[in-house]
Amino acid sequence: MNSEQHPYHCNDISKQTGMVVKTVGMHTGGGPLRIVISGFPKIVGKTLLDKRQYLLDHLDYQRRILLLEPRGHDAMYAAFLVEPDLPEADMAVLFSYGETCSYMCGYATIALGRFAIDYGLVKGVSPETVVKIQCPCGLVATKVQYDDGKTGATRLQSVPCFVFATAVKVNVEKYNEVQCDIVFGGTFYAYADISQFGLNFGTASVKDIIAVSMTTTKAVSSLVKPYHPELTEASYISGTILYENSLMENTPVKFMLVYGDRHAERSGCGSGSCGFLALLHHKGLIRVDELKTFVNGKTQSQLTGRIVKTVTVKELPAVITEVSGRAFYTGECTYYCEDDDTLPFLQLK
């Protein structure tokens, strides 16, 4: 029996439900993305940050339905496409995971560059098509390979990235004093050598990495209040990146990000890689236009990156970075939430 001969018949479920949302699924290096293309309530606001706040204040219930179990899971990320308020932008996006909305997601933006061409938001031009995307952290540019109607790998050029603080010493529960660097790569992360915790990616479980990272984020956040002079709303630490023997010349950077409430990054992490490039440049370990490889410590997913140029953010020295990767489609799906569903979402801890 082939798929066209199956004997099953289903009534029109959409007539029985209060919510019907159509999505496109993608992944970049294993990092999942659910792009919302229709059916979600309108997200309003004058600016993109206004829209972000409106989503959290007025549509949080619907947002959680799409991201949490039983329709989602702990690692799920969503992209809500909205109208940009910057005239030069081709599109605008709000990034979201289980608890809240983030200011940047590099792997999701790499996927969106390809999606924008394949779904007709931007016309493809050979050999490379530029897609300008307004993110909550600012305007970024993706450069997507395009050949004979086919899209390929994507280069993501970041907002300015900078080091906020280095060698910050904090007392982490069970591990006493450890040292971290605080860097902005689209959002603020704490960067810490995993060896300080007696761990390495080869033998540590993901559960161990999550526990250590979350404890570190809590400790650093209680001591350090990072500040972005042009994006004050993002002036907090979003998560911790543990790295292994990586702050050296001519070696791949092996690391893993844990953000929010126990979310372990699957991809090579675009925003984390951008921050790493800024940190390496600050320490004199990488030059402009020098290529660097970034490897997820557990999944082995990779991105490559380089520094495009040096700039400033107000008085702070910063860099424009570029990371490269490939996104793939996982499918298209329509999600329902019937009016009488008494358990529309779950978040077990």
Side-chain angles (χ1 to χ4, degrees):
M1 181 186 298
N2 64 42
S3 60
E4 295 180 353
Q5 294 174 327
H6 72 77
Y8 309 112
H9 172 75
C10 182
N11 293 324
D12 187 354
I13 300 173
S14 65
K15 294 180 179 179
Q16 306 172 38
T17 185
M19 182 174 172
V20 183
V21 178
K22 294 185 177 182
T23 66
V24 172
M26 300 186 76
H27 84 90
T28 305
L33 181 66
R34 183 168 290 167
I35 305 169
V36 180
I37 59 174
S38 69
F40 196 81
K42 186 175 178 60
I43 303 171
V44 300
K46 184 177 180 180
T47 68
L48 187 59
L49 291 180
D50 290 341
K51 292 181 176 76
R52 177 184 182 275
Q53 197 60 50
Y54 184 90
L55 176 59
L56 291 171
D57 289 344
H58 301 284
L59 299 173
D60 199 54
Y61 180 84
Q62 295 90 333
R63 182 188 69 83
R64 289 173 183 262
I65 288 172
L66 283 178
L67 283 158
L68 300 178
E69 296 180 59
R71 296 165 190 82
H73 50 77
D74 274 348
M76 182 52 65
Y77 231 91
F80 296 90
L81 305 183
V82 296
E83 286 295 319
D85 54 84
L86 297 178
E88 62 269 39
D90 295 306
M91 59 190 295
V93 60
L94 297 174
F95 302 113
S96 184
Y97 55 94
E99 297 89 63
T100 189
C101 294
S102 61
Y103 287 89
M104 183 55 180
C105 180
Y107 83 75
T109 310
I110 287 173
L112 286 170
R114 184 182 180 197
F115 167 87
I117 300 168
D118 291 335
Y119 279 76
L121 280 70
V122 175
K123 183 179 179 181
V125 179
S126 296
E128 191 174 62
T129 302
V130 176
V131 181
K132 296 180 180 179
I133 304 174
Q134 185 183 2
C135 304
C137 66
L139 185 70
V140 303
T142 62
K143 300 177 181 180
V144 186
Q145 289 179 355
Y146 187 81
D147 181 31
D148 194 27
K150 296 181 180 180
T151 47
T154 300
R155 295 186 289 141
L156 164 64
Q157 197 166 109
S158 73
V159 294
C161 304
F162 61 89
V163 175
F164 177 79
T166 58
V168 176
K169 295 179 180 180
V170 295
N171 289 312
V172 177
E173 183 181 346
K174 297 182 181 179
Y175 298 98
N176 298 318
E177 189 176 80
V178 299
Q179 189 168 289
C180 303
D181 300 311
I182 313 301
V183 188
F184 182 84
T187 188
F188 282 105
Y189 296 127
Y191 290 70
D193 191 319
I194 194 173
S195 66
Q196 296 179 98
F197 306 94
L199 300 175
N200 63 75
F201 289 118
T203 60
S205 68
V206 173
K207 182 178 179 180
D208 290 337
I209 293 170
I210 290 174
V212 166
S213 298
M214 290 184 63
T215 305
T216 302
T217 298
K218 181 178 179 181
V220 175
S221 296
S222 66
L223 182 68
V224 180
K225 305 300 179 185
Y227 175 72
H228 192 296
E230 296 180 349
L231 187 64
T232 57
E233 296 90 344
S235 295
Y236 63 91
I237 295 172
S238 298
T240 290
I241 288 176
L242 299 181
Y243 62 86
E244 185 176 283
N245 193 31
S246 295
L247 299 190
M248 300 168 59
E249 292 183 285
N250 304 317
T251 59
V253 176
K254 183 179 288 187
F255 72 104
M256 193 168 189
L257 162 68
V258 176
Y259 60 94
D261 186 4
R262 68 180 184 179
H263 301 285
E265 179 64 79
R266 271 74 170 160
S267 77
C269 187
S271 56
S273 297
C274 289
F276 247 125
L277 287 165
L279 181 60
L280 291 166
H281 186 264
H282 178 85
K283 292 177 178 288
L285 298 175
I286 194 170
R287 299 176 297 277
V288 172
D289 212 37
E290 179 182 348
L291 287 178
K292 194 75 172 178
T293 301
F294 300 94
V295 183
N296 184 293
K298 299 304 289 186
T299 69
Q300 306 306 310
S301 174
Q302 294 188 15
L303 295 174
T304 57
R306 68 185 182 97
I307 294 172
V308 177
K309 62 181 178 180
T310 59
V311 293
T312 58
V313 179
K314 299 296 185 181
E315 73 284 359
L316 296 173
V319 292
I320 298 295
T321 63
E322 182 181 88
V323 293
S324 302
R326 180 76 190 275
F328 298 91
Y329 291 98
T330 57
E332 295 184 355
C333 191
T334 301
Y335 290 93
Y336 301 98
C337 184
E338 298 180 79
D339 288 330
D340 54 353
D341 187 343
T342 59
L343 204 61
F345 56 78
L346 287 168
Q347 192 168 23
L348 300 180
K349 298 182 180 181

